[in-house]
Amino acid sequence: MKIRMLSVFVDDQRRALEFYTNVLGFQVKHNIPVGEDLWLTVVSPDEPDAAELLLEPSEHPAVKPYRDALRADGIPLAQFNVEDLEAEATRLKRLGVVFTMDPTDVGEALVAVLDDTCGNLIQLLQDKPAANTESPGAD
């Protein structure tokens, strides 16, 4: 079993397209008109055949209370890995991205949380190298 696609509900698909591609750096995989909306997916340029992120319209009545509750509690809706969190946060701040949590060491990883301008909090995560737990002199 593989993860093929995940959804992020967005307030405005065109603004989301701008943010997720020109700011975060994803690339468009599908941009297909479906009535007034789009079937709009983005992927990592490093893994274009991996999981797609569907930038889905947020009109369903369940979406607003769900996202409002997550946001009120500071809970990110999605998480993206980065190689160098400090450098990425600096780059994004220069582009005007608002962070609700600056890069923070949480033990096994570094994390930061940003506002995607489309109704969601997004967590960025940098894994820390695994500590060598092997005892000295062990074969």
Side-chain angles (χ1 to χ4, degrees):
M1 191 173 301
K2 295 180 183 177
I3 297 172
R4 185 70 194 134
M5 186 175 300
L6 297 170
S7 296
V8 171
F9 291 103
V10 296
D11 296 335
D12 180 312
Q13 284 186 303
R14 283 154 186 83
R15 188 173 66 232
L17 176 61
E18 167 72 21
F19 185 82
Y20 280 80
T21 57
N22 294 336
V23 177
L24 294 184
F26 291 106
Q27 67 185 32
V28 174
K29 178 89 174 206
H30 298 286
N31 186 350
I32 303 166
V34 181
E36 303 234 344
D37 296 316
L38 303 167
W39 179 258
L40 181 58
T41 68
V42 295
V43 294
S44 168
D46 297 331
E47 297 178 325
D49 295 321
E52 296 175 48
L53 183 66
L54 174 62
L55 303 176
E56 190 162 354
S58 62
E59 284 92 22
H60 190 282
V63 173
K64 182 172 177 20
Y66 169 69
R67 287 194 317 169
D68 288 351
L70 289 178
R71 203 173 174 87
D73 289 342
I75 299 171
L77 185 70
Q79 174 178 292
F80 306 135
N81 280 47
V82 296
E83 293 295 320
D84 183 340
L85 182 59
E86 286 291 339
E88 190 64 16
T90 298
R91 180 187 79 80
L92 292 171
K93 285 178 181 180
R94 281 191 199 122
L95 294 172
V97 174
V98 174
F99 280 76
T100 62
M101 184 174 97
D102 285 324
T104 303
D105 188 325
V106 294
E108 305 246 343
L110 302 173
V111 298
V113 178
L114 61 86
D115 183 327
D116 78 349
T117 74
C118 302
N120 305 296
L121 297 178
I122 302 295
Q123 181 169 280
L124 302 181
L125 177 133
Q126 175 188 338
D127 294 313
K128 285 181 168 180
N132 185 354
T133 57
E134 192 173 304
S135 60
D139 292 316

Coordinates of all heavy atoms in Angstrom, one line a residue, residues 24-65:
L24 N 6.5 28.0 -1.7 CA 7.0 26.8 -1.1 C 7.8 26.0 -2.0 O 8.7 25.2 -1.6 CB 5.8 25.9 -0.5 CG 5.0 26.5 0.6 CD1 4.0 25.5 1.1 CD2 5.9 26.9 1.8
G25 N 7.6 26.1 -3.3 CA 8.5 25.5 -4.3 C 8.0 24.1 -4.8 O 8.8 23.4 -5.5
F26 N 6.7 23.8 -4.6 CA 6.2 22.6 -5.2 C 6.0 22.9 -6.7 O 6.0 24.0 -7.1 CB 4.9 22.2 -4.5 CG 5.1 21.7 -3.1 CD1 4.7 22.5 -2.1 CD2 5.6 20.4 -2.9 CE1 4.9 22.0 -0.8 CE2 5.8 20.0 -1.6 CZ 5.4 20.8 -0.5
Q27 N 5.7 21.8 -7.5 CA 5.4 22.0 -8.9 C 4.0 21.4 -9.2 O 3.6 20.4 -8.5 CB 6.5 21.4 -9.8 CG 6.6 19.9 -9.8 CD 7.8 19.4 -10.6 OE1 8.8 20.1 -10.7 NE2 7.6 18.2 -11.1
V28 N 3.4 22.0 -10.2 CA 2.0 21.5 -10.5 C 2.1 20.2 -11.2 O 2.9 19.9 -12.1 CB 1.3 22.5 -11.5 CG1 0.0 22.0 -12.0 CG2 1.1 23.9 -10.8
K29 N 1.3 19.2 -10.8 CA 1.1 17.9 -11.4 C -0.1 17.9 -12.3 O -0.1 17.5 -13.4 CB 1.1 16.8 -10.4 CG 0.9 15.4 -10.9 CD 2.2 14.8 -11.2 CE 2.1 13.3 -11.6 NZ 3.2 12.5 -11.3
H30 N -1.3 18.4 -11.7 CA -2.5 18.5 -12.5 C -3.2 19.8 -12.2 O -3.2 20.3 -11.1 CB -3.5 17.4 -12.0 CG -3.0 16.0 -12.3 ND1 -2.9 15.4 -13.5 CD2 -2.5 15.1 -11.4 CE1 -2.5 14.2 -13.4 NE2 -2.2 14.0 -12.1
N31 N -3.7 20.4 -13.3 CA -4.4 21.7 -13.1 C -5.6 21.6 -14.2 O -5.4 22.1 -15.3 CB -3.5 22.9 -13.4 CG -4.2 24.2 -13.2 OD1 -5.4 24.3 -13.0 ND2 -3.4 25.3 -13.2
I32 N -6.6 20.9 -13.8 CA -7.7 20.6 -14.7 C -9.0 21.3 -14.2 O -9.4 21.1 -13.1 CB -7.9 19.1 -14.7 CG1 -6.6 18.3 -15.1 CG2 -9.1 18.7 -15.6 CD1 -6.6 16.9 -14.8
P33 N -9.6 22.1 -15.1 CA -10.9 22.8 -14.7 C -12.0 21.7 -14.4 O -12.1 20.7 -15.2 CB -11.2 23.6 -15.9 CG -9.9 23.8 -16.7 CD -9.1 22.5 -16.4
V34 N -12.7 21.9 -13.3 CA -13.8 21.0 -13.0 C -14.9 22.0 -12.5 O -15.0 22.4 -11.4 CB -13.5 20.1 -11.8 CG1 -14.6 19.2 -11.5 CG2 -12.2 19.2 -12.2
G35 N -15.8 22.4 -13.5 CA -16.8 23.4 -13.2 C -16.1 24.7 -12.8 O -15.2 25.2 -13.6
E36 N -16.5 25.3 -11.7 CA -15.9 26.5 -11.3 C -14.5 26.3 -10.5 O -13.8 27.3 -10.3 CB -16.9 27.3 -10.3 CG -18.2 27.5 -11.0 CD -18.6 28.9 -10.9 OE1 -18.0 29.7 -10.2 OE2 -19.5 29.3 -11.7
D37 N -14.2 25.1 -10.2 CA -13.0 24.8 -9.4 C -12.0 24.1 -10.3 O -12.2 23.9 -11.5 CB -13.4 23.9 -8.2 CG -14.3 24.7 -7.2 OD1 -14.0 25.8 -6.9 OD2 -15.3 24.0 -6.8
L38 N -10.9 23.6 -9.7 CA -9.9 22.9 -10.4 C -9.6 21.6 -9.7 O -9.7 21.5 -8.5 CB -8.6 23.8 -10.4 CG -8.7 25.2 -11.0 CD1 -7.4 26.0 -10.6 CD2 -8.9 25.1 -12.5
W39 N -9.1 20.6 -10.5 CA -8.5 19.5 -9.9 C -7.0 19.8 -10.0 O -6.3 19.8 -11.0 CB -8.8 18.2 -10.8 CG -8.1 17.0 -10.2 CD1 -6.9 16.4 -10.7 CD2 -8.5 16.2 -9.1 NE1 -6.6 15.4 -9.9 CE2 -7.6 15.2 -8.9 CE3 -9.6 16.3 -8.2 CZ2 -7.7 14.2 -7.9 CZ3 -9.7 15.3 -7.3 CH2 -8.7 14.3 -7.1
L40 N -6.5 20.3 -8.8 CA -5.2 21.0 -8.7 C -4.4 20.2 -7.7 O -4.6 20.2 -6.5 CB -5.5 22.4 -8.3 CG -4.2 23.3 -8.1 CD1 -3.5 23.4 -9.4 CD2 -4.7 24.7 -7.6
T41 N -3.3 19.6 -8.3 CA -2.4 18.9 -7.4 C -1.0 19.4 -7.6 O -0.6 19.9 -8.7 CB -2.4 17.4 -7.6 OG1 -1.9 17.1 -8.9 CG2 -3.8 16.8 -7.5
V42 N -0.2 19.4 -6.6 CA 1.2 19.7 -6.6 C 2.1 18.6 -6.1 O 1.6 17.8 -5.3 CB 1.5 21.0 -5.9 CG1 0.8 22.2 -6.5 CG2 1.2 20.9 -4.4
V43 N 3.3 18.6 -6.5 CA 4.3 17.5 -6.0 C 5.6 18.2 -5.7 O 5.9 19.3 -6.1 CB 4.4 16.4 -7.1 CG1 3.2 15.6 -7.3 CG2 5.0 17.0 -8.4
S44 N 6.4 17.4 -5.0 CA 7.8 17.9 -4.8 C 8.6 17.8 -6.1 O 8.5 16.7 -6.7 CB 8.4 17.0 -3.7 OG 9.8 17.2 -3.6
P45 N 9.3 18.8 -6.4 CA 10.2 18.6 -7.6 C 11.2 17.6 -7.5 O 11.7 17.0 -8.5 CB 10.8 20.0 -7.8 CG 10.6 20.8 -6.6 CD 9.5 20.1 -5.8
D46 N 11.6 17.2 -6.2 CA 12.6 16.2 -6.0 C 12.0 14.8 -6.1 O 12.7 13.8 -6.3 CB 13.1 16.3 -4.5 CG 13.9 17.6 -4.3 OD1 14.4 18.1 -5.3 OD2 13.9 18.1 -3.2
E47 N 10.6 14.7 -6.0 CA 9.9 13.4 -6.1 C 8.6 13.6 -6.9 O 7.5 13.4 -6.3 CB 9.7 12.8 -4.7 CG 10.9 12.5 -3.9 CD 10.6 12.0 -2.5 OE1 9.6 12.4 -1.9 OE2 11.3 11.1 -2.0
P48 N 8.7 13.9 -8.2 CA 7.5 14.2 -8.9 C 6.5 13.0 -9.1 O 5.4 13.3 -9.4 CB 8.0 14.7 -10.3 CG 9.4 14.2 -10.4 CD 9.9 14.1 -9.0
D49 N 7.0 11.8 -8.9 CA 6.1 10.7 -9.1 C 5.7 10.1 -7.7 O 5.1 9.1 -7.6 CB 6.8 9.6 -9.9 CG 7.1 10.0 -11.3 OD1 6.2 10.7 -11.9 OD2 8.2 9.7 -11.8
A50 N 6.0 10.8 -6.6 CA 5.6 10.4 -5.3 C 4.2 11.0 -5.0 O 3.5 11.4 -5.9 CB 6.6 10.9 -4.3
A51 N 3.8 11.0 -3.7 CA 2.5 11.5 -3.3 C 2.2 12.9 -3.8 O 3.1 13.8 -3.9 CB 2.4 11.5 -1.8
E52 N 0.9 13.1 -4.2 CA 0.5 14.4 -4.7 C -0.3 15.1 -3.6 O -1.0 14.4 -2.8 CB -0.5 14.2 -5.9 CG 0.2 13.7 -7.1 CD -0.8 13.4 -8.3 OE1 -1.6 14.3 -8.6 OE2 -0.7 12.3 -8.8
L53 N -0.3 16.4 -3.5 CA -1.0 17.2 -2.6 C -2.1 17.9 -3.4 O -1.9 18.7 -4.3 CB -0.2 18.2 -1.9 CG -0.8 19.1 -0.9 CD1 -1.2 18.3 0.3 CD2 0.1 20.2 -0.4
L54 N -3.4 17.5 -3.1 CA -4.6 18.1 -3.7 C -5.0 19.4 -3.0 O -5.2 19.4 -1.8 CB -5.7 17.1 -3.7 CG -7.1 17.6 -4.2 CD1 -7.0 17.9 -5.7 CD2 -8.1 16.5 -4.0
L55 N -4.9 20.5 -3.7 CA -5.4 21.8 -3.2 C -6.9 21.9 -3.4 O -7.3 22.3 -4.5 CB -4.6 22.9 -3.8 CG -3.0 22.8 -3.7 CD1 -2.3 23.9 -4.4 CD2 -2.6 22.8 -2.2
E56 N -7.6 21.4 -2.5 CA -9.0 21.2 -2.6 C -9.9 22.4 -2.1 O -9.6 22.9 -1.1 CB -9.4 19.9 -1.8 CG -10.8 19.5 -2.1 CD -11.0 18.0 -1.7 OE1 -10.0 17.3 -1.3 OE2 -12.2 17.6 -1.8
P57 N -10.9 22.8 -2.9 CA -11.8 23.8 -2.4 C -12.4 23.5 -1.1 O -12.7 22.4 -0.8 CB -12.9 23.9 -3.5 CG -12.3 23.3 -4.7 CD -11.3 22.2 -4.2
S58 N -12.6 24.6 -0.3 CA -13.0 24.4 1.1 C -14.5 24.6 1.3 O -14.9 25.0 2.5 CB -12.2 25.2 2.1 OG -12.4 26.6 1.7
E59 N -15.3 24.5 0.3 CA -16.8 24.9 0.4 C -17.6 23.9 1.3 O -18.6 24.3 1.8 CB -17.4 24.9 -0.9 CG -17.1 26.2 -1.7 CD -15.9 26.0 -2.6 OE1 -15.5 24.9 -3.0 OE2 -15.2 27.0 -2.9
H60 N -17.2 22.7 1.5 CA -18.0 21.7 2.3 C -18.2 22.3 3.7 O -17.3 22.8 4.3 CB -17.3 20.4 2.4 CG -18.2 19.3 2.9 ND1 -18.4 19.2 4.3 CD2 -18.9 18.3 2.3 CE1 -19.2 18.2 4.5 NE2 -19.5 17.7 3.3
P61 N -19.4 22.2 4.2 CA -19.7 22.8 5.5 C -18.9 22.3 6.7 O -18.7 23.0 7.7 CB -21.2 22.6 5.7 CG -21.7 21.8 4.5 CD -20.6 21.6 3.6
A62 N -18.4 21.1 6.6 CA -17.6 20.5 7.7 C -16.2 21.1 7.7 O -15.5 21.1 8.8 CB -17.5 19.0 7.5
V63 N -15.7 21.7 6.6 CA -14.3 22.2 6.6 C -14.1 23.3 7.5 O -13.1 23.3 8.3 CB -13.9 22.5 5.1 CG1 -12.6 23.2 5.1 CG2 -14.0 21.3 4.3
K64 N -14.9 24.3 7.5 CA -14.6 25.6 8.3 C -14.5 25.2 9.8 O -13.5 25.6 10.4 CB -15.7 26.6 8.0 CG -15.4 27.9 8.8 CD -16.3 29.0 8.4 CE -16.1 30.3 9.2 NZ -14.9 30.5 9.9
P65 N -15.5 24.5 10.4 CA -15.3 24.3 11.9 C -14.1 23.4 12.2 O -13.4 23.6 13.2 CB -16.6 23.6 12.3 CG -17.4 23.4 11.1 CD -16.8 24.1 9.9

